[in-house]
Amino acid sequence: MAHALPLGPTARVRRLPPVLAVVAVVALLALPFAPGDGGGAHPADAVSALAVLYCALRLVRDRRRPLSRTAAVVLGLPVLGLAVAAAGAGSPGAGLAGLGRYLQVFVLVPAAVLLLVRDRGDVRLLARSMVGLALWQGAVGVHQYVTATGASYQGERVRAVGTFGPQDVMGMATVVSLGLVCAVGLALGRTPVRQRLLAAGCALALLLPLALSFSRGAWIATAVTCAAQLLLAGVRRALAVGAAVVATAVVLVGGFGVGTAMLQERAGSITRVADAPDQSVTDRYTMWAAAAGMWRERPLTGVGLKGFPEHRDAHASLALSSGSETDGAGAGYRRQPLLSPHNMYLLVLAEQGLIGLLALAGSWLALLVLGLRGLRGARRKKGSVPDCALVACGLLVWQLTDFAYADIGGPSTVLTAVSFGLAAWWALGSAAREVPER
């Protein structure tokens, strides 16, 4: 009788799922990292570049066509506007830096994720890694709130920021939100009951650190996305899960006192942004108006990549403050300049003009339409929506909603690239809906 020979180290490495290269990118975001005053790349950004290189080497070795024609058009569409905006940048260095960042987030890393994810099992592995990262960052954030060691908010060091520090107050909110969206998608799938209950428990646990992030934009985007996921999974299930969320909220607010006056004031300010806005809202409106002014000045091509800070003062009113104050979470007092409009659509419109916005937004809209069409087809064929579809479409909906209140920047931006990659796998992957479950 023949006996199988033990696999050598090289053979064992080759049998590992390629998606582990993307999982490594997610895992590195758990590390604390404090860039200098001039900023700096996070280790996760460097590993994302290595993942792209690894994907390219696999394609060369296997001698296979990298992308379908549709995928190449949809993912390559932003390159047109980016090339024009980079050519019109204030300096070659700024143009190249901006071009590299946009290509990383919206073209190269999403394409690598699309090619490295083989089947739904890989999607679940990647989604669970994002949930695990969210739980870790959320736990750090809750500890910061309880021990008053977080970022400064209204004079108290209670804002949960995880390991990202006060200079990136949106980092933990983004990670926790995306992890919550993944958990909800996994909980609504047709996997074994034990796995779905665990995912649902993770989603409920992540509500607390999300609340303590004091991020209104993340709250809105998460609420919109989870409501969409529930409705896509079925109205009956949406009502049942909605009742569970309400019950959990009652326990958190009434039993544990999570609903502090500070948190209630922050939530209430969402409905008062037009009547009595605070300074942060005033600054945001002012920068939005400045971005619109830049676009009116150069409607087709914009002011060039990385050009918003240079042209801001020429278009902003006197209502704009000199900067935002950051303190706490292991860092000293610092005043940060306001260098972006905190609205991705307006940032693209200001720096890339109509050409860039139509190219980028056209790519995103194509992913959304194709993803929802595939989701509807899967429901019609199998009678239910796969968890990987709910995860992929949910991540895309969250990003497109959050872009109305935020733009790219900071270490958590690499998760934006991964989210677009998962959305591309479901929307553009030829085998995404045919590969059997595993």
Side-chain angles (χ1 to χ4, degrees):
M1 183 175 63
H3 296 278
L5 295 176
L7 295 175
T10 303
R12 285 196 295 267
V13 170
R14 289 179 178 176
R15 293 188 62 181
L16 293 175
V19 74
L20 288 179
V22 186
V23 172
V25 175
V26 176
L28 281 175
L29 287 175
L31 301 176
F33 180 73
D37 294 339
H42 192 277
D45 291 307
V47 175
S48 72
L50 293 177
V52 172
L53 178 60
Y54 168 65
C55 180
L57 293 176
R58 283 178 55 88
L59 293 175
V60 173
R61 186 195 67 185
D62 297 340
R63 297 181 181 179
R64 64 187 179 95
R65 184 179 178 180
L67 296 171
S68 67
R69 184 176 302 174
T70 302
V73 170
V74 172
L75 291 179
L77 188 60
V79 177
L80 173 63
L82 292 173
V84 174
S91 67
L96 288 176
L99 179 63
R101 186 60 160 169
Y102 274 94
L103 289 178
Q104 173 204 12
V105 177
F106 298 116
V107 180
L108 297 178
V109 174
V113 174
L114 166 62
L115 294 169
L116 293 175
V117 171
R118 300 171 302 176
D119 51 32
R120 297 177 185 179
D122 284 354
V123 173
R124 294 189 186 106
L125 176 61
L126 187 51
R128 288 165 183 160
S129 70
M130 294 175 70
V131 174
L133 173 66
L135 290 171
W136 161 247
Q137 292 289 354
V140 175
V142 172
H143 178 267
Q144 290 170 335
Y145 176 84
V146 172
T147 59
T149 55
S152 178
Y153 178 75
Q154 293 186 357
E156 299 183 39
R157 298 187 175 185
V158 294
R159 187 167 192 173
V161 293
T163 63
F164 295 99
Q167 288 81 23
D168 185 18
V169 294
M170 290 298 300
M172 191 209 75
T174 298
V175 169
V176 169
S177 298
L178 294 177
L180 196 153
V181 169
C182 289
V184 170
L186 294 172
L188 295 174
R190 294 298 180 185
T191 51
V193 176
R194 182 178 179 181
Q195 296 181 17
R196 285 186 280 134
L197 289 177
L198 180 60
C202 292
L204 293 175
L206 290 173
L207 290 175
L208 179 57
L210 178 61
L212 298 180
S213 70
F214 294 98
S215 173
R216 293 170 293 201
W219 293 348
I220 295 172
T222 304
V224 170
T225 303
C226 291
Q229 288 177 301
L230 290 171
L231 291 175
L232 290 172
V235 177
R236 185 177 301 176
R237 300 181 74 187
L239 293 175
V241 175
V245 171
V246 171
T248 303
V250 170
V251 172
L252 289 175
V253 174
F256 297 100
V258 174
T260 62
M262 192 178 297
L263 187 58
Q264 293 172 4
E265 188 278 332
R266 185 68 166 177
S269 67
I270 295 176
T271 61
R272 299 195 307 269
V273 292
D275 298 332
D278 55 31
Q279 185 58 49
S280 65
V281 175
T282 300
D283 287 339
R284 184 163 302 190
Y285 285 165
T286 304
M287 290 188 292
W288 287 4
M294 296 177 202
W295 168 68
R296 284 191 294 268
E297 183 179 295
R298 301 181 188 177
L300 286 180
T301 60
V303 297
L305 293 181
K306 298 284 187 178
F308 183 88
E310 180 182 350
H311 293 80
R312 183 200 63 182
D313 292 340
H315 296 86
S317 69
L318 296 177
L320 182 66
S321 66
S322 58
S324 61
E325 298 177 342
T326 63
D327 193 10
Y333 175 83
R334 182 181 176 188
R335 194 165 187 85
Q336 286 186 294
L338 304 173
L339 302 179
S340 74
H342 296 293
N343 182 302
M344 191 65 199
Y345 304 107
L346 288 176
L347 178 62
V348 173
L349 192 63
E351 294 187 345
Q352 303 179 40
L354 281 176
I355 295 176
L357 181 63
L358 290 176
L360 263 175
S363 175
W364 302 339
L365 182 60
L367 288 178
L368 182 62
V369 171
L370 292 173
L372 292 177
R373 182 188 297 176
L375 190 148
R376 185 178 63 178
R379 180 198 294 274
R380 185 179 303 168
K381 185 177 180 180
K382 299 183 179 180
S384 62
V385 179
D387 53 357
C388 60
L390 292 171
V391 168
C393 293
L395 291 173
L396 181 59
V397 170
W398 190 92
Q399 292 292 346
L400 298 184
T401 305
D402 186 65
F403 278 167
Y405 308 95
D407 46 50
I408 59 174
S412 61
T413 298
V414 73
L415 282 188
T416 298
V418 174
S419 298
F420 275 99
L422 283 174
W425 177 84
W426 173 255
L428 303 171
S430 59
R433 292 173 289 279
E434 287 78 15
V435 172
E437 300 276 358
R438 77 168 178 87

